[in-house]
Amino acid sequence: GAGVSQSPSNKVTEKGKDVELRCDPISGHTALYWYRQRLGQGLEFLIYFQGNSAPDKSGLPSDRFSAERTGESVSTLTIQRTQQEDSAVYLCASSLKISSGNYGYTFGSGTRLTVV
Amino acid sequence: KQEVTQIPAALSVPEGENLVLNCSFTDSAIYNLQWFRQDPGKGLTSLLLIQSSQREQTSGRLNASLDKSSGRSTLYIAASQPGDSATYLCAVKGSGGSNYKLTFGKGTLLTVNP
């Protein structure tokens, strides 16, 4: 597609439920990233994919968080047993490649998750 | 660990003013620096990308400079308009083993008053 697409745009869930957030990167972008932005905070790195592999998962806050990518395309971020502190905007970005480091990111519009 | 600081945290100006947003980073070993704009409830829109070998980039009324050795970047907005009101984020991409990860500042909330 023309841009990075994320769905849903908004999600309200009850504490303890599982949620899945989806990201469709720009076609041909081999690198994909998930970031989290909590209210009043800066963006926190969660995980990065190169192809379907995730060389760096260091930003995932707990084992309740997991992510996968298939077909070097769509990625899903899953949060199990959601807690109120998981409420945030979850942003996905993609870029052409990372080997040279000299590529910029393109971000999606984000998924606003509210845990009640 | 890279840290990015943006000053001021908030800025309010009358329409038509020229303004400067500041960004500083602690580790000068970067590949590039990117300025983004974020509107309320929206994602990030990339404004300008400056490679580590470059000194500045321009797009329309926007000009971004980079002084890598001193760990500073500025975003200059000329003849500001109410539509420029948004949060402006600075992000640096590290070199070496972390050449994929962006480190963000907390942003400058800009309000341009008509």
Side-chain angles (χ1 to χ4, degrees), chain A residues 63-96:
Chain A
D63 58 8
R64 295 186 297 103
F65 287 72
S66 63
E68 66 173 13
R69 188 179 184 196
T70 56
E72 298 196 355
S73 180
V74 172
S75 176
T76 303
L77 177 68
T78 301
I79 309 173
Q80 296 178 309
R81 305 181 302 281
T82 52
Q83 303 294 313
Q84 288 185 328
E85 63 262 27
D86 300 334
S87 296
V89 176
Y90 290 81
L91 290 160
C92 174
S94 69
S95 70
L96 275 172

mmCIF file of all heavy atoms in Angstrom, chain A residues 63-96:
data_model
loop_
_atom_site.group_PDB
_atom_site.id
_atom_site.type_symbol
_atom_site.label_atom_id
_atom_site.label_comp_id
_atom_site.label_asym_id
_atom_site.label_seq_id
_atom_site.Cartn_x
_atom_site.Cartn_y
_atom_site.Cartn_z
ATOM 1 N N ASP A 63 6.396 -10.614 29.585
ATOM 2 C CA ASP A 63 6.092 -11.803 28.761
ATOM 3 C C ASP A 63 4.630 -11.837 28.340
ATOM 4 O O ASP A 63 4.213 -12.762 27.627
ATOM 5 C CB ASP A 63 6.495 -13.087 29.488
ATOM 6 C CG ASP A 63 5.809 -13.255 30.828
ATOM 7 O OD1 ASP A 63 4.896 -12.463 31.149
ATOM 8 O OD2 ASP A 63 6.186 -14.172 31.563
ATOM 9 N N ARG A 64 3.838 -10.859 28.754
ATOM 10 C CA ARG A 64 2.458 -10.778 28.255
ATOM 11 C C ARG A 64 2.431 -10.226 26.826
ATOM 12 O O ARG A 64 1.413 -10.330 26.151
ATOM 13 C CB ARG A 64 1.611 -9.888 29.167
ATOM 14 C CG ARG A 64 1.432 -10.430 30.579
ATOM 15 C CD ARG A 64 0.463 -9.571 31.387
ATOM 16 N NE ARG A 64 0.943 -8.196 31.596
ATOM 17 C CZ ARG A 64 0.496 -7.130 30.931
ATOM 18 N NH1 ARG A 64 -0.459 -7.255 30.020
ATOM 19 N NH2 ARG A 64 0.976 -5.928 31.196
ATOM 20 N N PHE A 65 3.543 -9.628 26.423
ATOM 21 C CA PHE A 65 3.635 -9.019 25.101
ATOM 22 C C PHE A 65 4.369 -9.965 24.152
ATOM 23 O O PHE A 65 5.433 -10.501 24.503
ATOM 24 C CB PHE A 65 4.408 -7.701 25.153
ATOM 25 C CG PHE A 65 3.653 -6.570 25.777
ATOM 26 C CD1 PHE A 65 3.411 -6.534 27.143
ATOM 27 C CD2 PHE A 65 3.198 -5.510 25.005
ATOM 28 C CE1 PHE A 65 2.713 -5.490 27.727
ATOM 29 C CE2 PHE A 65 2.496 -4.453 25.585
ATOM 30 C CZ PHE A 65 2.257 -4.446 26.934
ATOM 31 N N SER A 66 3.832 -10.130 22.957
ATOM 32 C CA SER A 66 4.514 -10.905 21.932
ATOM 33 C C SER A 66 4.167 -10.313 20.575
ATOM 34 O O SER A 66 3.164 -9.601 20.433
ATOM 35 C CB SER A 66 4.121 -12.385 21.989
ATOM 36 O OG SER A 66 2.733 -12.542 21.715
ATOM 37 N N ALA A 67 5.003 -10.614 19.592
ATOM 38 C CA ALA A 67 4.749 -10.109 18.244
ATOM 39 C C ALA A 67 5.264 -11.121 17.240
ATOM 40 O O ALA A 67 6.218 -11.848 17.520
ATOM 41 C CB ALA A 67 5.405 -8.756 18.026
ATOM 42 N N GLU A 68 4.621 -11.142 16.101
ATOM 43 C CA GLU A 68 5.099 -11.982 15.012
ATOM 44 C C GLU A 68 4.903 -11.246 13.695
ATOM 45 O O GLU A 68 4.121 -10.289 13.599
ATOM 46 C CB GLU A 68 4.381 -13.329 14.990
ATOM 47 C CG GLU A 68 2.903 -13.250 14.682
ATOM 48 C CD GLU A 68 2.291 -14.639 14.511
ATOM 49 O OE1 GLU A 68 2.942 -15.646 14.869
ATOM 50 O OE2 GLU A 68 1.166 -14.711 14.011
ATOM 51 N N ARG A 69 5.648 -11.715 12.709
ATOM 52 C CA ARG A 69 5.512 -11.157 11.361
ATOM 53 C C ARG A 69 5.544 -12.323 10.389
ATOM 54 O O ARG A 69 6.354 -13.245 10.549
ATOM 55 C CB ARG A 69 6.648 -10.185 11.060
ATOM 56 C CG ARG A 69 6.460 -9.418 9.764
ATOM 57 C CD ARG A 69 7.594 -8.463 9.518
ATOM 58 N NE ARG A 69 7.344 -7.672 8.314
ATOM 59 C CZ ARG A 69 8.289 -6.978 7.680
ATOM 60 N NH1 ARG A 69 9.536 -6.967 8.131
ATOM 61 N NH2 ARG A 69 7.970 -6.283 6.605
ATOM 62 N N THR A 70 4.686 -12.275 9.393
ATOM 63 C CA THR A 70 4.634 -13.347 8.405
ATOM 64 C C THR A 70 4.744 -12.787 7.003
ATOM 65 O O THR A 70 4.318 -11.637 6.742
ATOM 66 C CB THR A 70 3.318 -14.134 8.533
ATOM 67 O OG1 THR A 70 2.214 -13.219 8.405
ATOM 68 C CG2 THR A 70 3.225 -14.838 9.885
ATOM 69 N N GLY A 71 5.320 -13.584 6.112
ATOM 70 C CA GLY A 71 5.414 -13.196 4.706
ATOM 71 C C GLY A 71 6.187 -11.922 4.474
ATOM 72 O O GLY A 71 5.998 -11.242 3.461
ATOM 73 N N GLU A 72 7.046 -11.572 5.442
ATOM 74 C CA GLU A 72 7.791 -10.309 5.387
ATOM 75 C C GLU A 72 6.833 -9.144 5.149
ATOM 76 O O GLU A 72 7.166 -8.136 4.521
ATOM 77 C CB GLU A 72 8.878 -10.334 4.309
ATOM 78 C CG GLU A 72 9.927 -11.381 4.570
ATOM 79 C CD GLU A 72 11.194 -11.199 3.772
ATOM 80 O OE1 GLU A 72 11.248 -10.293 2.912
ATOM 81 O OE2 GLU A 72 12.140 -11.954 4.003
ATOM 82 N N SER A 73 5.642 -9.290 5.713
ATOM 83 C CA SER A 73 4.626 -8.269 5.521
ATOM 84 C C SER A 73 3.941 -7.974 6.847
ATOM 85 O O SER A 73 4.549 -7.372 7.726
ATOM 86 C CB SER A 73 3.633 -8.710 4.455
ATOM 87 O OG SER A 73 2.631 -7.728 4.258
ATOM 88 N N VAL A 74 2.735 -8.471 7.017
ATOM 89 C CA VAL A 74 1.888 -8.120 8.154
ATOM 90 C C VAL A 74 2.534 -8.535 9.468
ATOM 91 O O VAL A 74 3.124 -9.613 9.575
ATOM 92 C CB VAL A 74 0.511 -8.787 8.009
ATOM 93 C CG1 VAL A 74 -0.321 -8.599 9.259
ATOM 94 C CG2 VAL A 74 -0.191 -8.246 6.782
ATOM 95 N N SER A 75 2.377 -7.677 10.471
ATOM 96 C CA SER A 75 2.834 -7.996 11.819
ATOM 97 C C SER A 75 1.665 -7.848 12.788
ATOM 98 O O SER A 75 0.799 -6.986 12.604
ATOM 99 C CB SER A 75 3.970 -7.076 12.241
ATOM 100 O OG SER A 75 4.359 -7.327 13.591
ATOM 101 N N THR A 76 1.683 -8.713 13.798
ATOM 102 C CA THR A 76 0.661 -8.659 14.845
ATOM 103 C C THR A 76 1.349 -8.542 16.196
ATOM 104 O O THR A 76 2.256 -9.322 16.503
ATOM 105 C CB THR A 76 -0.214 -9.929 14.834
ATOM 106 O OG1 THR A 76 -0.807 -10.082 13.551
ATOM 107 C CG2 THR A 76 -1.308 -9.835 15.886
ATOM 108 N N LEU A 77 0.918 -7.564 16.971
ATOM 109 C CA LEU A 77 1.382 -7.406 18.352
ATOM 110 C C LEU A 77 0.260 -7.888 19.255
ATOM 111 O O LEU A 77 -0.876 -7.385 19.154
ATOM 112 C CB LEU A 77 1.713 -5.935 18.644
ATOM 113 C CG LEU A 77 2.148 -5.599 20.076
ATOM 114 C CD1 LEU A 77 3.509 -6.217 20.393
ATOM 115 C CD2 LEU A 77 2.198 -4.084 20.279
ATOM 116 N N THR A 78 0.542 -8.862 20.098
ATOM 117 C CA THR A 78 -0.461 -9.434 20.987
ATOM 118 C C THR A 78 -0.122 -9.089 22.432
ATOM 119 O O THR A 78 1.023 -9.228 22.865
ATOM 120 C CB THR A 78 -0.520 -10.963 20.829
ATOM 121 O OG1 THR A 78 -0.840 -11.277 19.460
ATOM 122 C CG2 THR A 78 -1.580 -11.564 21.739
ATOM 123 N N ILE A 79 -1.125 -8.632 23.143
ATOM 124 C CA ILE A 79 -0.981 -8.372 24.571
ATOM 125 C C ILE A 79 -1.958 -9.278 25.301
ATOM 126 O O ILE A 79 -3.179 -9.202 25.083
ATOM 127 C CB ILE A 79 -1.266 -6.896 24.921
ATOM 128 C CG1 ILE A 79 -0.457 -5.949 24.033
ATOM 129 C CG2 ILE A 79 -0.934 -6.638 26.404
ATOM 130 C CD1 ILE A 79 -0.805 -4.477 24.204
ATOM 131 N N GLN A 80 -1.435 -10.138 26.142
ATOM 132 C CA GLN A 80 -2.280 -11.056 26.893
ATOM 133 C C GLN A 80 -2.587 -10.474 28.270
ATOM 134 O O GLN A 80 -1.775 -9.738 28.844
ATOM 135 C CB GLN A 80 -1.578 -12.408 27.055
ATOM 136 C CG GLN A 80 -1.336 -13.133 25.738
ATOM 137 C CD GLN A 80 -0.596 -14.429 25.934
ATOM 138 O OE1 GLN A 80 0.435 -14.464 26.577
ATOM 139 N NE2 GLN A 80 -1.119 -15.507 25.374
ATOM 140 N N ARG A 81 -3.743 -10.823 28.769
ATOM 141 C CA ARG A 81 -4.151 -10.428 30.139
ATOM 142 C C ARG A 81 -3.859 -8.945 30.374
ATOM 143 O O ARG A 81 -3.106 -8.568 31.270
ATOM 144 C CB ARG A 81 -3.428 -11.293 31.167
ATOM 145 C CG ARG A 81 -3.608 -12.779 30.959
ATOM 146 C CD ARG A 81 -2.876 -13.616 32.021
ATOM 147 N NE ARG A 81 -1.447 -13.344 32.065
ATOM 148 C CZ ARG A 81 -0.558 -13.820 31.232
ATOM 149 N NH1 ARG A 81 -0.953 -14.597 30.237
ATOM 150 N NH2 ARG A 81 0.722 -13.533 31.371
ATOM 151 N N THR A 82 -4.477 -8.121 29.547
ATOM 152 C CA THR A 82 -4.177 -6.686 29.565
ATOM 153 C C THR A 82 -4.354 -6.078 30.951
ATOM 154 O O THR A 82 -5.246 -6.468 31.732
ATOM 155 C CB THR A 82 -5.054 -5.921 28.567
ATOM 156 O OG1 THR A 82 -6.427 -6.262 28.795
ATOM 157 C CG2 THR A 82 -4.672 -6.243 27.144
ATOM 158 N N GLN A 83 -3.491 -5.109 31.221
ATOM 159 C CA GLN A 83 -3.524 -4.335 32.463
ATOM 160 C C GLN A 83 -3.752 -2.872 32.115
ATOM 161 O O GLN A 83 -3.500 -2.441 30.985
ATOM 162 C CB GLN A 83 -2.201 -4.487 33.210
ATOM 163 C CG GLN A 83 -1.829 -5.922 33.522
ATOM 164 C CD GLN A 83 -2.795 -6.552 34.500
ATOM 165 O OE1 GLN A 83 -3.122 -5.951 35.523
ATOM 166 N NE2 GLN A 83 -3.259 -7.766 34.192
ATOM 167 N N GLN A 84 -4.163 -2.091 33.092
ATOM 168 C CA GLN A 84 -4.440 -0.682 32.830
ATOM 169 C C GLN A 84 -3.197 0.066 32.375
ATOM 170 O O GLN A 84 -3.295 0.987 31.555
ATOM 171 C CB GLN A 84 -5.066 -0.023 34.059
ATOM 172 C CG GLN A 84 -6.511 -0.469 34.291
ATOM 173 C CD GLN A 84 -7.178 0.262 35.431
ATOM 174 O OE1 GLN A 84 -6.538 0.650 36.404
ATOM 175 N NE2 GLN A 84 -8.484 0.434 35.334
ATOM 176 N N GLU A 85 -2.035 -0.355 32.849
ATOM 177 C CA GLU A 85 -0.806 0.337 32.436
ATOM 178 C C GLU A 85 -0.434 0.058 30.978
ATOM 179 O O GLU A 85 0.488 0.677 30.444
ATOM 180 C CB GLU A 85 0.376 -0.031 33.331
ATOM 181 C CG GLU A 85 0.777 -1.481 33.304
ATOM 182 C CD GLU A 85 0.200 -2.259 34.465
ATOM 183 O OE1 GLU A 85 -0.866 -1.875 34.989
ATOM 184 O OE2 GLU A 85 0.817 -3.265 34.850
ATOM 185 N N ASP A 86 -1.150 -0.869 30.338
ATOM 186 C CA ASP A 86 -0.917 -1.129 28.917
ATOM 187 C C ASP A 86 -1.606 -0.078 28.039
ATOM 188 O O ASP A 86 -1.370 -0.028 26.823
ATOM 189 C CB ASP A 86 -1.440 -2.511 28.520
ATOM 190 C CG ASP A 86 -0.762 -3.642 29.287
ATOM 191 O OD1 ASP A 86 0.387 -3.444 29.727
ATOM 192 O OD2 ASP A 86 -1.398 -4.702 29.448
ATOM 193 N N SER A 87 -2.451 0.743 28.633
ATOM 194 C CA SER A 87 -3.146 1.772 27.868
ATOM 195 C C SER A 87 -2.125 2.726 27.261
ATOM 196 O O SER A 87 -1.292 3.291 27.970
ATOM 197 C CB SER A 87 -4.112 2.555 28.763
ATOM 198 O OG SER A 87 -5.144 1.724 29.251
ATOM 199 N N ALA A 88 -2.199 2.888 25.958
ATOM 200 C CA ALA A 88 -1.204 3.684 25.234
ATOM 201 C C ALA A 88 -1.598 3.717 23.763
ATOM 202 O O ALA A 88 -2.542 3.037 23.343
ATOM 203 C CB ALA A 88 0.191 3.072 25.371
ATOM 204 N N VAL A 89 -0.853 4.504 22.999
ATOM 205 C CA VAL A 89 -0.944 4.419 21.545
ATOM 206 C C VAL A 89 0.200 3.527 21.073
ATOM 207 O O VAL A 89 1.362 3.761 21.435
ATOM 208 C CB VAL A 89 -0.843 5.802 20.881
ATOM 209 C CG1 VAL A 89 -0.845 5.670 19.363
ATOM 210 C CG2 VAL A 89 -1.992 6.687 21.342
ATOM 211 N N TYR A 90 -0.130 2.514 20.308
ATOM 212 C CA TYR A 90 0.869 1.587 19.772
ATOM 213 C C TYR A 90 1.103 1.941 18.309
ATOM 214 O O TYR A 90 0.193 1.905 17.488
ATOM 215 C CB TYR A 90 0.418 0.143 19.941
ATOM 216 C CG TYR A 90 0.438 -0.269 21.392
ATOM 217 C CD1 TYR A 90 -0.618 0.074 22.244
ATOM 218 C CD2 TYR A 90 1.532 -0.928 21.935
ATOM 219 C CE1 TYR A 90 -0.582 -0.254 23.592
ATOM 220 C CE2 TYR A 90 1.571 -1.267 23.283
ATOM 221 C CZ TYR A 90 0.514 -0.919 24.108
ATOM 222 O OH TYR A 90 0.556 -1.235 25.436
ATOM 223 N N LEU A 91 2.344 2.293 18.013
ATOM 224 C CA LEU A 91 2.707 2.772 16.678
ATOM 225 C C LEU A 91 3.591 1.751 15.978
ATOM 226 O O LEU A 91 4.511 1.203 16.572
ATOM 227 C CB LEU A 91 3.438 4.112 16.778
ATOM 228 C CG LEU A 91 2.565 5.286 17.217
ATOM 229 C CD1 LEU A 91 3.436 6.415 17.758
ATOM 230 C CD2 LEU A 91 1.736 5.795 16.064
ATOM 231 N N CYS A 92 3.318 1.570 14.722
ATOM 232 C CA CYS A 92 4.112 0.678 13.884
ATOM 233 C C CYS A 92 4.807 1.530 12.828
ATOM 234 O O CYS A 92 4.251 2.531 12.349
ATOM 235 C CB CYS A 92 3.190 -0.344 13.226
ATOM 236 S SG CYS A 92 3.988 -1.425 12.036
ATOM 237 N N ALA A 93 6.011 1.156 12.470
ATOM 238 C CA ALA A 93 6.742 1.855 11.417
ATOM 239 C C ALA A 93 7.452 0.829 10.553
ATOM 240 O O ALA A 93 7.718 -0.301 10.981
ATOM 241 C CB ALA A 93 7.748 2.837 12.016
ATOM 242 N N SER A 94 7.761 1.223 9.334
ATOM 243 C CA SER A 94 8.550 0.350 8.474
ATOM 244 C C SER A 94 9.604 1.171 7.750
ATOM 245 O O SER A 94 9.498 2.403 7.649
ATOM 246 C CB SER A 94 7.658 -0.402 7.475
ATOM 247 O OG SER A 94 7.096 0.462 6.514
ATOM 248 N N SER A 95 10.638 0.490 7.291
ATOM 249 C CA SER A 95 11.673 1.149 6.500
ATOM 250 C C SER A 95 12.231 0.153 5.505
ATOM 251 O O SER A 95 12.028 -1.058 5.618
ATOM 252 C CB SER A 95 12.780 1.724 7.387
ATOM 253 O OG SER A 95 13.553 0.690 7.957
ATOM 254 N N LEU A 96 12.976 0.679 4.503
ATOM 255 C CA LEU A 96 13.443 -0.165 3.407
ATOM 256 C C LEU A 96 14.355 -1.273 3.894
ATOM 257 O O LEU A 96 14.142 -2.431 3.611
ATOM 258 C CB LEU A 96 14.158 0.685 2.360
ATOM 259 C CG LEU A 96 13.239 1.328 1.340
ATOM 260 C CD1 LEU A 96 14.001 2.308 0.478
ATOM 261 C CD2 LEU A 96 12.602 0.261 0.462
#
